[in-house]
Amino acid sequence: MRTIDLRGRELSASDMLAAVPRAAQARAEALDTAARIVEDVRTSGEAALREQAERFDRVTGHAIRVPSEHIAAAVTSLAPDIRAALEEAIRRVQSASAAQVPAERTTDIGPGARILQRWQPVRRVGVYIPGGKAVYPSSVIMNVVPAQVAGVEQIALASPPQSDQDGRVHPTILAAAGLLGVDEVYAIGGAGAIGAFAYGVDEIGLDPVDVLSGPGNNYVASAKRVVAGVVGTDSEAGATEILIVADAAADARLIAADLISQAEHDEQASAVLVTDSPELAERAAAAVAAQAVATRHSERVAAALAGEQSAIVLVDDRAMAVAFSNAYAPEHLELHVEDAEAAASAFTSAGAVFVGDRTPVSLGDYMAGSNHVLPTGGQARYAPGLGAYTFLRPQQVIRYDHAALAQVRDGVVALANSEVLPAHGEAIEARFTSEPVGD
């Protein structure tokens, strides 16, 4: 990993972002490709999906709609320890997601004037689960459970067909879906799955969804951008990111382990350490070098750590570390500082904050109860991670009686006339006279 020394400099937020850039070119190239893939699915339906499966997944002749018996068989064959872990993760995410559903609230504006605030679930959701470099049954939980807690009636799931499974979706993903009662599953990968969810595919009985969610690579994230406005989407969860803020007392061995744990996802993964301790920076660099070569996916890790998106960043002090982190707005933020609990409130822009060196990102990926589908690419400045709220629409229900309407009659008419929209005022006056309103 390279080291960037920002000490002794007055830097704006844009200066800090320029120091550790994201892989923007890869995303730009992915957007063009994703747009073509989505358009092919929109216009050619099943034929496009089969062509894409052969080209990207090396699969032909497979059942795109997964038969229910495949799901049942996957649940039956699931190893007991994996099943127990999945069921416990489901329980924990259900508990945390329940806190994200607001209760209805009534506001009395005045006598006879009432507004009800309620949150309505969307009717149909499409969930995408990656299946390329790794298998993600945990992502099934992270996407399906919040939708179920929100009250969504229909949940469809898509994941790439596997060439080593005769074109079937990976059995562990199928098993996770089965444990959650999801029986509408499709063997579709990448941007094509996003297009299929957005526009539907009549030949395989896939209806369009209202909201789609789920992590993926740059092509999946770009496809979400392509269909935004056609359907609702969660944040564009692209290549994963971890930023660790650490002080001199931090354990370099744990820092290295956590940086590597996220780098193993993808060659474009971002792994960043921010510290005001040159000594800790040196220890961490040495620990990363030693541990990276010993991990199973060492080549992938090495590529991610050597990329321009990964670095050890030296800053003057805690204030500068906070400023850098908030400007960067990482997907995952870990705080390896002595006063982590107190310090956490200053770090306002992150998909999720992991407080203290006993709370690694890996915990959040699986069993913390928090959601691991989080905004990347700096979107944490304005976008949340996935939750039950992703599948809810706030809606106001307004109810005025005659006396309450009379209280604001003159004001509405005055404002309508000032905006040269007299019919608006006439609609009010019609409630107070039996005679025709207007000329």
Side-chain angles (χ1 to χ4, degrees), residues 68-79 169-176 178:
S68 59
E69 56 266 28
H70 291 185
I71 301 173
V75 173
T76 300
S77 62
L78 193 60
V169 170
H170 194 282
T172 313
I173 290 175
L174 287 182

Side-chain angles (χ1 to χ4, degrees), residues 50 53 59-64 166-167:
R50 293 199 176 279
V59 167
T60 59
H62 64 302
I64 296 180
D166 296 325

Side-chain angles (χ1 to χ4, degrees), residues 398-424:
I398 303 96
R399 185 179 295 108
Y400 271 55
D401 63 19
H402 191 75
L405 181 62
Q407 286 285 318
V408 295
R409 172 184 180 183
D410 292 343
V412 173
V413 171
L415 289 172
N417 290 336
S418 75
E419 294 184 356
V420 197
L421 296 172
H424 282 60

